[in-house]
């Protein structure tokens, strides 16, 4: 088997995996984006199909405002036990951290209402022991383990601080496993930046004492020349042929000095066992190109579609209006997308920032209507905005939109968006009664309108192109011939400059009471 890391490119941090038969299910953190926690399915570990989201309703989660601080939905864990999928997660919503789990019999959804857990901190995980007991692991002042009642979420007994790691900062992200009679506690250490790593310890007793692996860290790329950096926050699992694997996060910097714009991405690492300890990747290193003598699935030609009657809305933005199959409705991560916006549901790769409120975004059979509210793009509020991850360094994103109604500072456009304080956009607006295309950039407190181009028509096609060096904006009035509007440096829209735990999104928006209609959108990797 040969594959290339990341297996999920763009903003997909803190991966957690479970397998049922030949089917792998993976979830990643989403912070302020809604719906929360995309669920990906694969049978080969390389092609990942988004089959839904875990957190789709206000009754499950209320995302706190506060970007660009790191709030909202952190580090989930997905597990399967006796016919039920469990997803446990933290909503970092000051003044409290709400830890809860939801369940589903089909990982595509719907997932249940939350069951609240009596713990603070972050990075929850569940472990179902073979004697029927269930243990919660989490992180506050250290990594702790506590038995819980899985029906009610209540703690049974005390929290036990099990292991503080090997001495690096931020021991966190624990996952507990039982393998050949030992409890293994896998954690992340070193912080989620360049010093990131995974370490492991084991014990015959669930509450310890835990003995550290003699070759910790079992996963890290710190201090190496390898192109993937900041490897850590891993989850171990097996395939149906009993091969061991880990998923973990890592970053791909744009250049030196190391800055990354696509957030933390999901990597896949083969794992072998030696003397009762896991050996991950190439002696704990994670490479981009991996070739391993393994067969993942127990059967060939397994069907990617796991539930034919889910998402009966074969009401797919990618269709030409003809009936489409469930398979088309689903989204293969990292693939090109053409969205004609001719349905009343949005393609699953679109997100909102925060829980959607009111009727700011209205998908119709004739385009998505964006009803701008009083807020500008740089305000930390719910806005008339839909966005999708930047999944490749080199891409083009093309949108046809029309500005239908607008007050003085209203606008509609396409943005490359890290957070409310860091974004570049090309937009349509009215200036002195004249429709105009503008190029705006904001980097922290620096804000500029860099270009104003009068435009005879209120319908225009805007194109955003990304590369490791720059984001370029161009426009077309006939949809074919494009003229450059301007460009901005990629490295100012990076986590190291102005971000936190997320990666860049491509956003379509209307702001300051502008009314707009988005007709088509196309994302292509180059
Ligand atoms: C997560 C922590 C981490 O809770 O980053 O990389 C935090 N590891 O475990 C946010 O993703």
């Amino acid at each position: 088997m040969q594959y290339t890391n990341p297996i999920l490119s763009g903003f997909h941090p803190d991966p957690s995996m479970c397998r049922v038969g030949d089917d792998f299910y993976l979830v990643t953190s989403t912070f302020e984006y809604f719906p929360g926690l995309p669920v990906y399915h694969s049978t080969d570990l390389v092609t990942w199909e988004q089959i839904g989201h875990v957190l789709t309703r206000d009754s499950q989660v209320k995302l706190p405002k506060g970007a660009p601080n790191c709030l909202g939905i952190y580090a989930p864990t997905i597990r399967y036990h006796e016919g039920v999928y469990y997803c446990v997660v933290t909503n970092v919503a000051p003044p409290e951290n709400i830890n809860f789990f939801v369940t589903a019999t089909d990982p595509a959804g719907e997932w249940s209402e939350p069951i609240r857990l009596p713990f603070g901190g972050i990075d929850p995980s569940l472990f179902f022991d073979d004697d029927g007991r269930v243990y919660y692991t989490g992180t506050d002042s250290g990594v702790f383990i506590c038995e819980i009642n899985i029906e009610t979420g209540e703690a049974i007994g005390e929290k036990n601080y099990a292991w503080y790691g090997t001495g690096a900062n931020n021991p966190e992200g624990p996952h507990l496993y039982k393998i050949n009679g030992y409890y293994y506690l896998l954690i992340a250490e070193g912080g989620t930046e360049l010093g990131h790593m995974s370490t492991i310890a084991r014990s015959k007793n669930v509450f310890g004492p835990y003995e550290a692996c003699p070759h910790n860290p079992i996963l890290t790329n710190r201090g190496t020349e390898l192109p993937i950096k900041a490897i850590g926050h891993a989850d171990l699992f097996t395939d149906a042929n009993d091969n061991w694997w880990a998923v973990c996060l890592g970053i791909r910097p744009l250049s030196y000095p190391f800055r990354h714009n696509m957030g933390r991405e999901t990597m896949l690492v083969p794992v072998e066992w030696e003397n009762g300890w896991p050996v991950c990747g190439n002696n704990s290193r994670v490479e981009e190109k991996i070739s391993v003598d393994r067969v993942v699935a127990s059967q060939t030609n397994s069907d990617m579609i796991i539930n034919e009657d889910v998402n009966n809305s074969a009401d797919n933005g990618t269709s030409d209006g003809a009936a489409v199959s469930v398979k088309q409705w689903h989204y293969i991560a990292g693939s090109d997308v053409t969205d004609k916006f001719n349905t009343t549901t949005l393609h699953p790769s679109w997100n909102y920032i925060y829980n959607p409120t009111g009727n700011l975004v209205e998908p119709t059979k004739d385009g998505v209507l964006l009803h701008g509210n009083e807020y500008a793009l740089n305000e930390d509020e719910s806005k008339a905005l839909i966005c999708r991850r930047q999944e490749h360094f080199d891409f083009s994103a093309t949108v046809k939109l029309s500005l239908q109604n607008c007050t003085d500072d209203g606008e509609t456009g396409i943005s490359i968006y890290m957070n409310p304080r860091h974004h570049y956009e090309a937009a349509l607006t009215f200036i002195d009664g004249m429709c105009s295309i503008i190029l705006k950039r904001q980097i922290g407190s620096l804000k500029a309108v860099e270009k104003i181009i009068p435009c005879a028509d209120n319908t225009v096609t805007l194109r955003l192109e990304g590369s490791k060096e720059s984001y370029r904006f161009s426009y077309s009035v006939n949809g074919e011939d494009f003229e450059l509007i301007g460009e901005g440096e990629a490295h100012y829209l990076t986590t190291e400059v102005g971000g936190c735990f997320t990666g860049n999104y491509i956003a379509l928006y209307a702001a300051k009471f502008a009314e707009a209609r988005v007709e088509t959108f196309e994302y292509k990797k180059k």
Side-chain angles (χ1 to χ4, degrees):
M1 170 181 176
Q2 292 187 325
Y3 65 92
T4 305
N5 276 318
I7 53 164
L8 280 175
S9 58
F11 163 58
H12 289 106
D14 308 321
S16 176
M17 176 85 87
C18 76
R19 175 180 64 86
V20 180
D22 282 335
D23 295 302
F24 299 95
Y25 300 100
L26 192 155
V27 290
T28 58
S29 306
T30 40
F31 302 94
E32 63 264 36
Y33 291 93
F34 189 95
L37 305 176
V39 184
Y40 293 97
H41 168 248
S42 177
T43 52
D44 64 5
L45 291 176
V46 176
T47 305
W48 289 93
E49 180 178 43
Q50 189 184 345
I51 57 170
H53 284 95
V54 175
L55 303 175
T56 55
R57 307 186 295 279
D58 290 355
S59 58
Q60 293 170 308
V61 69
K62 185 76 195 130
L63 296 169
K65 305 243 161 89
N69 296 320
C70 310
L71 302 180
I73 292 298
Y74 275 45
T77 299
I78 186 167
R79 292 291 180 260
Y80 174 80
H81 182 68
E82 293 182 349
V84 179
Y85 294 85
Y86 294 79
C87 187
V88 62
V89 73
T90 315
N91 184 10
V92 177
E96 55 182 350
N97 285 7
I98 303 166
N99 283 287
F100 63 94
F101 69 88
V102 290
T103 62
T105 49
D106 182 339
E110 297 244 314
W111 290 75
S112 72
E113 289 300 295
I115 296 183
R116 180 99 184 237
L117 293 151
F119 308 107
I122 54 169
D123 296 354
S125 188
L126 295 176
F127 168 63
F128 294 83
D129 208 344
D130 41 28
D131 62 2
R133 293 174 193 265
V134 183
Y135 297 95
Y136 175 97
T137 61
T139 309
D140 48 24
S141 58
V143 166
F144 65 86
I145 302 175
C146 188
E147 189 182 348
I148 59 164
N149 177 331
I150 197 66
E151 300 301 323
T152 64
E154 286 165 313
I156 301 174
E158 298 293 305
K159 280 159 67 176
N160 292 268
Y161 285 88
W163 193 41
Y164 291 90
T166 59
N169 59 303
N170 295 82
E172 59 189 8
H175 292 303
L176 186 64
Y177 315 88
K178 193 177 198 177
I179 302 162
N180 293 335
Y182 277 102
Y183 294 93
Y184 284 85
L185 188 55
L186 173 68
I187 70 166
E189 290 187 62
T192 196
E193 300 85 25
L194 296 178
H196 209 199
M197 55 184 163
S198 288
T199 55
I200 197 163
R202 72 180 185 187
S203 173
K204 286 273 182 193
N205 299 305
V206 67
F207 295 131
Y210 278 85
E211 159 209 3
C213 172
H215 61 256
N216 275 327
I218 59 163
L219 259 181
T220 192
N221 277 6
R222 63 184 180 166
T224 70
E225 304 273 359
L226 293 168
I228 298 174
K229 312 280 180 202
I231 287 289
H233 200 114
D235 198 5
L236 289 168
F237 62 97
T238 56
D239 65 32
N241 291 327
D242 293 330
N243 300 303
W244 281 85
W245 299 89
V247 276
C248 64
L249 67 78
I251 64 167
R252 291 182 296 161
L254 291 168
S255 60
Y256 185 82
F258 301 133
R259 295 177 186 154
H260 67 289
N261 61 343
M262 284 196 282
R264 296 164 300 162
E265 306 179 283
T266 293
M267 315 291 165
L268 176 70
V269 190
V271 176
E272 302 287 350
W273 288 82
E274 282 176 20
N275 304 320
W277 295 105
V279 176
C280 302
N282 185 3
N283 274 325
S284 85
R285 309 294 186 212
V286 180
E287 320 224 16
E288 276 188 306
K289 301 266 180 226
I290 296 197
S291 178
V292 61
D293 189 14
R294 291 178 168 193
V295 179
V296 166
S298 65
Q299 58 193 43
T300 51
N301 300 324
S302 48
D303 187 353
M304 285 288 287
I305 300 306
I306 46 117
N307 187 339
E308 292 291 344
D309 59 10
V310 158
N311 300 320
N312 40 38
S313 61
D315 194 0
N316 180 6
T318 62
S319 82
D320 285 324
V324 291
S325 72
V326 173
K327 182 158 188 158
Q328 282 173 289
W329 192 91
H330 291 158
Y331 172 60
I332 304 292
S335 53
D336 293 349
V337 162
T338 299
D339 199 332
K340 295 190 172 166
F341 295 119
N342 52 7
T343 67
T344 53
T345 51
L346 286 175
H347 186 272
S349 58
W350 291 111
N351 292 170
Y352 304 97
I353 300 173
Y354 304 132
N355 300 60
T357 54
N359 193 27
L360 299 175
V361 175
E362 189 188 350
T364 75
K365 296 202 167 181
D366 192 20
V368 175
L369 305 181
L370 299 175
H371 307 289
N373 57 8
E374 66 267 44
Y375 298 113
L377 188 62
N378 62 0
E379 289 178 89
D380 181 31
E381 296 291 343
S382 294
K383 283 159 283 203
L385 175 152
I386 56 174
C387 54
R388 67 174 329 271
R389 289 167 180 80
Q390 177 187 341
E391 293 176 291
H392 306 90
F393 288 120
D394 296 289
F395 71 91
S396 76
T398 308
V399 62
K400 183 174 180 193
L401 42 70
S402 59
L403 180 58
Q404 309 212 302
N405 205 348
C406 185
T407 54
D408 270 355
D409 47 2
E411 64 190 48
T412 183
I414 183 168
S415 178
I416 182 74
Y417 185 93
M418 166 145 276
N419 58 43
R421 288 169 56 83
H422 298 85
H423 46 92
Y424 307 160
E425 51 273 348
L428 268 177
T429 187
F430 278 105
I431 297 175
D432 298 332
M434 175 81 186
C435 193
S436 304
I437 295 168
I438 53 173
L439 173 69
K440 292 165 64 193
R441 293 205 286 152
Q442 175 162 1
I443 303 166
S445 57
L446 292 176
K447 294 181 217 170
V449 176
E450 300 201 327
K451 196 64 93 44
I452 300 175
I453 303 172
C455 177
D457 204 344
N458 67 339
T459 299
V460 75
T461 303
L462 298 172
R463 177 169 287 168
L464 160 66
E465 289 166 289
S467 71
K468 283 190 176 178
E469 290 74 39
S470 69
Y471 291 110
R472 285 163 61 92
F473 291 91
S474 50
Y475 75 100
S476 170
V477 278
N478 62 10
E480 283 172 17
D481 307 309
F482 283 82
E483 295 215 17
L484 183 68
I485 310 170
E487 62 189 308
E489 303 87 339
H491 71 108
Y492 290 137
L493 291 191
T494 52
T495 297
E496 289 73 9
V497 172
C500 191
F501 286 148
T502 59
N504 285 352
Y505 267 77
I506 296 156
L508 312 177
Y509 71 98
K512 288 283 189 186
F513 298 116
E515 295 279 337
R517 190 161 71 87
V518 188
E519 295 183 20
T520 56
F521 174 84
E522 188 178 70
Y523 177 91
K524 278 191 179 165
K525 59 180 165 293
K526 286 192 181 169

